[in-house]
Amino acid sequence: MSWISTLLSNLNYGTILLLMLLESTVIPVPSELVVAPAAYHAASGELNVLLIILFATIGADLGASINYFVALYVGRPVIYKFANSKWGKMCLLNQEKVEKSEQYFDNHGVMATLTGRLVPGIRHLISIPAGLARMAYWKFLLYTTIGAGAWHAILAGMGWYLHTIVPEEQLNDTIKEYNHYIVYAILAIVVVAILYVVAKNIIKARKTK
């Protein structure tokens, strides 16, 4: 998609919002190649890093809300039909990925909307099962904002740090390399958070007996 490449090469607050909106629907836009490079340029004074995180998070909220309301009103059969269509495949989507996001939501409940924003392969689809499950929209939006904001803050921190050690022509390759370590760290954080919630619920259940 050449128009996405054009937007990626002209990052400003508007394009950041738009690209993160697209990333939170079904269009394959890698957020690490949006927020991190924008923060890289913010380190030299071209942009404000806090505004980058803000506009990226607003974009993510808007895109996730689109998925939520589509799922809420059209239902599972239409979602699956689109995922298996030619257009779905162009968006790197299939029914298996949607089912995977549903399983994650079923396993982790409403917290999945928060933690799912940090999990690769789940991040842009977790809003679909939230809509299918008719999760309260205010709660969905709150958890989405926290999860997306945390993810964008991590990416912005990486971009800001790389400005001190990496020349711009090597930036994207370095981001992809660092991204693997970030994903592993985030997955560890998610696991710890889930274990904490589970342990807390078990202790609470025992006290009520």
Side-chain angles (χ1 to χ4, degrees), residues 111 192-202:
M111 283 294 292
V192 170
I194 291 171
L195 290 176
Y196 170 77
V197 172
V198 171
K200 186 177 180 180
N201 288 336
I202 291 174

Side-chain angles (χ1 to χ4, degrees), residues 5-200:
S5 298
T6 301
L7 291 175
L8 286 170
S9 62
N10 294 277
L11 290 175
N12 54 53
Y13 302 124
T15 55
I16 290 167
L17 186 150
L18 177 58
L19 287 166
M20 290 301 89
L21 184 155
L22 297 175
E23 192 257 356
S24 287
T25 54
V26 295
I27 298 176
V29 178
S31 55
E32 61 271 18
L33 296 183
V34 177
V35 179
Y40 181 94
H41 293 295
S44 61
E46 296 177 41
L47 296 167
N48 182 294
V49 70
L50 295 179
L51 290 179
I52 289 170
I53 296 170
L54 175 62
F55 279 95
T57 303
I58 292 172
D61 283 345
L62 292 173
S65 294
I66 291 172
N67 276 5
Y68 172 91
F69 285 113
V70 168
L72 179 68
Y73 289 112
V74 307
R76 187 174 285 103
V78 177
I79 295 292
Y80 285 177
K81 185 175 181 180
F82 173 77
N84 292 323
S85 70
K86 178 180 72 174
W87 294 104
K89 289 180 173 59
M90 286 177 63
C91 295
L92 305 181
L93 194 63
N94 56 49
Q95 184 173 328
E96 182 182 355
K97 289 183 178 179
V98 178
E99 289 176 342
K100 184 179 179 181
S101 68
E102 288 188 82
Q103 184 179 10
Y104 186 90
F105 187 89
D106 291 341
N107 290 342
H108 302 101
V110 294
M111 283 294 292
T113 311
L114 192 160
T115 59
R117 296 295 311 184
L118 305 173
V119 180
I122 296 293
R123 181 164 55 245
H124 66 300
L125 297 177
I126 196 62
S127 48
I128 292 176
L132 293 174
R134 298 184 175 275
M135 179 182 179
Y137 179 68
W138 69 267
K139 188 178 292 186
F140 162 79
L141 187 60
L142 174 63
Y143 288 166
T144 298
T145 301
I146 295 171
W151 173 241
H152 295 146
I154 291 169
L155 292 179
M158 176 174 67
W160 188 279
Y161 168 71
L162 290 178
H163 184 269
T164 63
I165 61 172
V166 176
E168 187 169 358
E169 61 271 16
Q170 298 176 15
L171 179 60
N172 285 351
D173 290 337
T174 306
I175 288 171
K176 292 174 184 177
E177 179 184 345
Y178 273 62
N179 192 51
H180 294 297
Y181 299 107
I182 291 175
V183 167
Y184 295 143
I186 288 175
L187 288 176
I189 292 170
V190 169
V191 169
V192 170
I194 291 171
L195 290 176
Y196 170 77
V197 172
V198 171
K200 186 177 180 180

